[in-house]
Amino acid sequence: MNESHPRISKAVIPAAGLGTRFLPATKATPKEMLPVVDKPAIQYVVEEAVGAGLSDVLMITGRNKRPLEDHFDRNYELEEALIKKGDQERLAKVQESSDLATMHYVRQGDPRGLGHAVLCAAPHVGNEPFAVLLGDDLIDPRDPLLSRMVEVQGREGGSVVALMEVEPSQIHLYGCAAVEPTGDADVVKVTNLVEKPDRAEAPSNYAVIGRYVLDPAVFGILRETEPGRGGEVQLTDALQKLVADESVGGPVHGVVFKGRRYDTGDRGDYLRAIVRLACERDDLGPDFRNWLRAYVTEEMQGL
């Protein structure tokens, strides 16, 4: 590995959003704490970071997000109760979240977009490359996307974004990348980025999904980036400046992901994620699949 491209160790997880699409459930409960089967969505994301070797995790939070900190902290009263009951299985599950990583927290006092949330991480990250993981995207651990991105960044330097091909009718929901091929089938060089373009103006159907490995030069750009689409500081706009001038922070590459991704930011996809993950569980899957099969058959017969 080139010594000028040090391996990263820090992950940043923006979690200051209000979760308005899930109201009223998120009126008092952070959307990141909504369970996906029997584990909050945010724990899957932290586990992914740790699985890629990033054990130093900074979470960008906001008001009413204290349950996130509590979840990754020790709960001695609960642990003691489980010990007295001799319930080692549940005790291990409770302790798992508090033992996952070294957790840090900083508040985004004025939520002004993803770019602003990432900028809040600058004092903690310093002058090191780092990863950003968005909690709405759950990546199946059998498809190690982040590990591949870390590998590409270590070899190429600069920044790396995760890309996924979507239907042209859906590209307006994402940041969109124009790309050119490299010597690796799953790696492209990004030549342009547009935040949520109209379908007719999209340079491709490669959508930027919620995983980034970023050069620290992005902080200086974010400080100078004016609010863009939606009146927010857009990370895509800052990345476009890196694309336009490689002398600032190196090139921007993309890893094209074709694995399993679960979008928990949308109510329908959230429900589908629960069904898919429950079906694949050894402890729940067999009985749940039998019930689901019978339910679908019954519904079809009623049409």
Side-chain angles (χ1 to χ4, degrees):
M1 181 181 296
N2 190 318
E3 292 184 358
S4 65
H5 306 151
R7 182 176 176 84
I8 70 173
S9 62
K10 296 178 179 178
V12 175
I13 303 177
L18 297 176
T20 54
R21 286 182 290 179
F22 280 84
L23 286 171
T26 51
K27 179 181 178 181
T29 301
K31 68 171 182 175
E32 296 85 3
M33 289 299 298
L34 295 178
V36 180
V37 188
D38 55 3
K39 189 162 57 177
I42 194 66
Q43 185 170 331
Y44 288 89
V45 180
V46 174
E47 288 174 349
E48 181 186 353
V50 172
L54 314 182
S55 58
D56 184 317
V57 177
L58 174 67
M59 202 167 292
I60 312 298
T61 67
R63 293 188 62 214
N64 301 324
K65 297 287 184 168
R66 181 61 184 270
L68 293 171
E69 298 184 35
D70 291 341
H71 179 71
F72 292 101
D73 199 359
R74 298 291 297 273
N75 187 328
Y76 293 101
E77 294 84 357
L78 177 58
E79 291 179 25
E80 185 64 27
L82 293 171
I83 290 171
K84 288 181 179 179
K85 289 182 178 181
D87 194 338
Q88 295 300 316
E89 180 180 354
R90 287 187 174 86
L91 177 63
K93 289 181 179 180
V94 168
Q95 293 176 334
E96 181 183 14
S97 58
S98 58
D99 295 338
L100 265 177
T102 302
M103 301 294 298
H104 309 271
Y105 304 90
V106 64
R107 278 198 174 191
Q108 183 187 15
D110 183 13
R112 291 185 284 148
L114 176 57
H116 180 255
V118 171
L119 184 56
C120 291
H124 180 79
V125 170
N127 194 34
E128 303 176 25
F130 63 104
V132 175
L133 298 86
L134 304 190
D136 287 348
D137 283 331
L138 301 190
I139 304 298
D140 195 296
R142 294 167 293 183
D143 302 312
L145 170 61
L146 187 59
S147 297
R148 177 59 170 157
M149 295 173 68
V150 169
E151 176 188 346
V152 171
Q153 196 279 336
R155 184 184 70 207
E156 303 290 346
S159 298
V160 182
V161 299
L163 301 175
M164 176 175 271
E165 291 189 81
V166 300
E167 292 295 327
S169 61
Q170 298 296 305
I171 197 64
H172 69 282
L173 301 174
Y174 299 87
C176 177
V179 303
E180 58 185 33
T182 68
D184 295 321
D186 65 332
V187 179
V188 294
K189 186 173 182 180
V190 178
T191 60
N192 190 28
L193 284 167
V194 183
E195 178 65 16
K196 296 181 179 178
D198 293 334
R199 177 175 179 176
E201 299 174 357
S204 73
N205 66 329
Y206 282 107
V208 180
I209 59 175
R211 298 296 181 269
Y212 309 81
V213 177
L214 302 177
D215 186 274
V218 74
F219 292 132
I221 296 175
L222 284 169
R223 291 187 184 99
E224 304 297 327
T225 299
E226 295 293 327
R229 194 178 183 95
E232 298 181 335
V233 178
Q234 298 290 348
L235 180 59
T236 304
D237 293 342
L239 289 173
Q240 171 56 25
K241 294 179 181 178
L242 290 177
V243 169
D245 186 358
E246 292 186 13
S247 68
V248 176
V252 178
H253 286 86
V255 170
V256 180
F257 183 62
K258 297 184 179 180
R260 287 155 284 201
R261 166 182 173 254
Y262 311 107
D263 181 358
T264 61
D266 173 83
R267 289 174 299 173
D269 283 341
Y270 170 75
L271 293 173
R272 284 185 280 272
I274 293 174
V275 171
R276 290 169 182 165
L277 290 171
C279 284
E280 294 178 358
R281 289 267 294 262
D282 292 336
D283 57 340
L284 298 173
D287 288 342
F288 185 67
R289 286 195 300 269
N290 287 337
W291 174 85
L292 188 61
R293 190 177 296 112
Y295 174 75
V296 172
T297 299
E298 180 181 333
E299 287 295 301
M300 292 295 292
Q301 290 174 345
L303 291 179

